[in-house]
Amino acid sequence: MTTATLVVPEDDANLASEIVKDYIKQLRAIDTYDTYAGWSEAKIIDPVVLTKERKQKIPVIGDPDEITIARLKAYYNSVATLLEKKTGLMAAPIVHLSHEGFGRALIMVGKLIVVDKILRDTHRFGFSSLADLVEKTDKVIEKAMGLIEKYNAAATD
């Protein structure tokens, strides 16, 4: 991928958000071949941003590749990590996918399921922009924290 094809600018303010920083950390952690060595944060997170043009290039029907599945799992790991930071409770992400890309992502805190996302078309996993990623994640975390507060006994059990 050349610099000219990147859609995330190096000075994007969302690169400083908690979720993007942690997501990049998760992506670096699964990079066993040091592919990201020397890459900027914008270049690492760029493939997660699916603009309309990028999404049009991905077939409507297809099976997810290993890289896309790894990005998906890294995202839910990041959400779980942020929940742990904000609540002080251990959060465990669980992602189950069929070979066709259908499945479910759960995040459990204690015995409480605080995130339950049905996954479809995971071969097209991504966000329209970093701002979209931050906004959607903030909503997920806010809802999860509300559930933890409401059902604290199950979350701390």
Side-chain angles (χ1 to χ4, degrees):
M1 188 176 286
T2 62
T3 308
T5 62
L6 298 180
V7 295
V8 176
E10 297 289 337
D11 61 346
D12 191 318
N14 291 298
L15 287 170
S17 69
E18 280 185 301
I19 183 62
V20 173
K21 283 194 166 298
D22 197 85
Y23 197 4
I24 291 169
K25 189 187 311 180
Q26 295 285 339
L27 291 171
R28 283 190 190 276
I30 61 174
D31 177 28
T32 55
Y33 295 109
D34 282 340
T35 305
Y36 299 146
W39 285 22
S40 68
E41 290 183 342
K43 188 173 181 180
I44 294 169
I45 199 78
D46 189 77
V48 175
V49 177
L50 293 182
T51 60
K52 285 184 180 181
E53 296 78 25
R54 283 183 173 179
K55 212 165 196 173
Q56 285 176 345
K57 291 178 183 176
I58 301 171
V60 174
I61 299 172
D63 295 344
D65 62 1
E66 292 301 315
I67 294 172
T68 305
I69 292 170
R71 284 186 195 126
L72 175 86
K73 289 179 178 180
Y75 172 72
Y76 284 100
N77 285 345
S78 293
V79 173
T81 300
L82 290 181
L83 273 170
E84 285 183 8
K85 285 180 185 176
K86 291 179 183 287
T87 64
L89 300 170
M90 191 166 113
I94 302 164
V95 177
H96 176 74
L97 282 175
S98 72
H99 70 282
E100 295 174 324
F102 295 96
R104 198 168 218 157
L106 306 170
I107 297 179
M108 295 181 64
V109 175
K111 293 182 179 175
L112 180 65
I113 296 173
V114 296
V115 174
D116 182 3
K117 175 75 172 147
I118 294 174
L119 303 172
R120 293 186 183 98
D121 300 328
T122 55
H123 68 289
R124 302 176 101 196
F125 173 74
F127 299 89
S128 61
S129 66
L130 284 188
D132 183 46
L133 181 147
V134 171
E135 182 182 325
K136 286 181 177 174
T137 304
D138 286 347
K139 286 180 183 176
V140 167
I141 289 174
E142 186 177 313
K143 184 176 178 185
M145 289 177 61
L147 287 169
I148 291 168
E149 188 176 315
K150 186 173 181 179
Y151 302 104
N152 195 277
T156 55
D157 190 17

